[in-house]
Amino acid sequence: GVITDADLILTAYRRWGTDCPKYLVGDFTFAIWDPREQHLFCARDQIGVRPFYYAHRPGRGFAFATEIKALFAAGYASDTLDERRIALQLLNRAEDADGTIYADVRRLQPAHSMIVRQDGRVTTSRYWSLDSEYEVRFASDDDYAEQFRELFEAAVRCRLRAIHQPGVMLSGGLDSSSVACVARDLIRDAGGPRLDTFTAFFPDLSSEEKKVGDETRYVRDIERQGHVNAQFIPMSGVTPLLDIERLLWHSDQPFYVRNTYIDVLANQ
């Protein structure tokens, strides 16, 4: 039978308790009510791909969601701005890593777990951190390459587990092309449908600009290899200020990376 994500995470929690996030691979965010311990256990993946926002109102309750707007809708948070947080964001500083631009809304940091007890106490802890001194040694360059490929395939494979058919934002650059090709091969070998890829391109670029900034030719190369449904989204006239209200609605907060608007608009 099919093992759901809920089954998998609950089994991991029964086996390892609050240490279970250490053994999970891929992107996740979850919350589990433990009736024996009488606490709510929450966790977010190591990189923080999946969001986890929460509002703690002592005496009233605790609410969490993957989108800030859900906390507003539930009445657990207001849209009162945190001016200090906004100032830090303008300065490109992250001293308050668990804060948001809203005074009532916090976020669980990547690689962190949290326990919420019935008496209102909330404690967070880091369950993973990058070990910069850890070394891996093999006998040859081929062994290093083989180990890298195994890890890379495992990283892509675990992210193909989804409710809907997965897709890839494909710029044509080395990183997204590598992800797309491995995902395509894994899906094809499993007898799955063609992989959907989405490429934003700028048809109004000059010939000189296209030589530097247009990588759609590399996407076409991948498309010719087969088992890919390549979709090209023209971005003529698109700017960060175009439809800014909708962009902010989807992102919940202002975004740091200047070209994030391309990803959001290309996926609409």
Side-chain angles (χ1 to χ4, degrees), residues 6-18:
D7 291 333
L8 182 65
I9 291 174
L10 284 172
T11 300
Y13 185 76
R14 292 190 184 102
R15 174 65 177 82
W16 294 294
T18 56

Side-chain angles (χ1 to χ4, degrees), residues 37-247:
E37 298 294 336
Q38 290 290 293
H39 69 215
L40 184 72
F41 177 71
C42 314
R44 189 178 176 197
D45 63 79
Q46 292 89 341
I47 306 300
V49 175
R50 301 296 181 184
F52 189 105
Y53 298 106
Y54 67 92
H56 183 211
R57 305 285 291 274
R60 180 176 175 183
F62 177 92
F64 62 92
T66 55
E67 297 185 41
I68 293 177
K69 62 184 71 70
L71 299 175
F72 292 158
Y76 271 85
S78 71
D79 59 0
T80 302
L81 297 176
D82 184 337
E83 295 183 358
R84 180 177 180 277
R85 176 69 187 184
I86 294 174
L88 289 174
Q89 183 148 346
L90 291 173
L91 294 171
N92 199 26
R93 293 165 59 182
E95 295 175 1
D96 184 18
D98 63 344
T100 71
I101 66 168
Y102 299 104
D104 294 340
V105 180
R106 313 296 290 177
R107 60 183 170 186
L108 185 60
Q109 294 185 55
H112 279 68
S113 61
M114 176 169 56
I115 292 177
V116 185
R117 294 177 173 82
Q118 279 195 316
D119 60 8
R121 287 181 297 148
V122 177
T123 57
T124 60
S125 60
R126 175 182 285 274
Y127 66 82
W128 177 87
S129 59
L130 182 65
D131 185 354
S132 60
E133 298 182 356
Y134 181 76
E135 293 186 7
V136 176
R137 294 185 178 275
F138 294 104
S140 68
D141 289 346
D142 288 342
D143 290 339
Y144 282 105
E146 181 61 27
Q147 175 68 2
F148 174 81
R149 183 174 183 84
E150 288 181 7
L151 293 174
F152 191 81
E153 286 189 356
V156 174
R157 183 183 292 106
C158 71
R159 287 165 175 84
L160 294 178
R161 178 187 173 96
I163 298 175
H164 304 290
Q165 176 65 23
V168 175
M169 288 291 293
L170 178 56
S171 70
L174 180 61
D175 49 359
S176 65
S177 295
S178 299
V179 171
C181 289
V182 170
R184 174 204 60 200
D185 292 348
L186 291 172
I187 292 173
R188 181 184 57 203
D189 293 346
R194 291 187 299 173
L195 174 69
D196 288 318
T197 64
F198 304 90
T199 301
F201 73 101
F202 298 83
D204 300 328
L205 293 177
S206 67
S207 298
E208 289 301 315
E209 289 172 329
K210 285 183 178 180
K211 291 179 182 179
V212 178
D214 185 6
E215 297 179 324
T216 55
R217 61 188 182 278
Y218 302 124
V219 178
R220 294 295 187 188
D221 288 340
I222 295 173
E223 184 181 27
R224 281 191 288 271
Q225 294 175 11
H227 215 74
V228 168
N229 180 26
Q231 302 175 53
F232 296 85
I233 301 97
M235 304 299 284
S236 299
V238 174
T239 73
L241 299 180
L242 179 68
D243 210 359
I244 188 65
E245 294 295 332
R246 183 159 62 95
L247 282 170

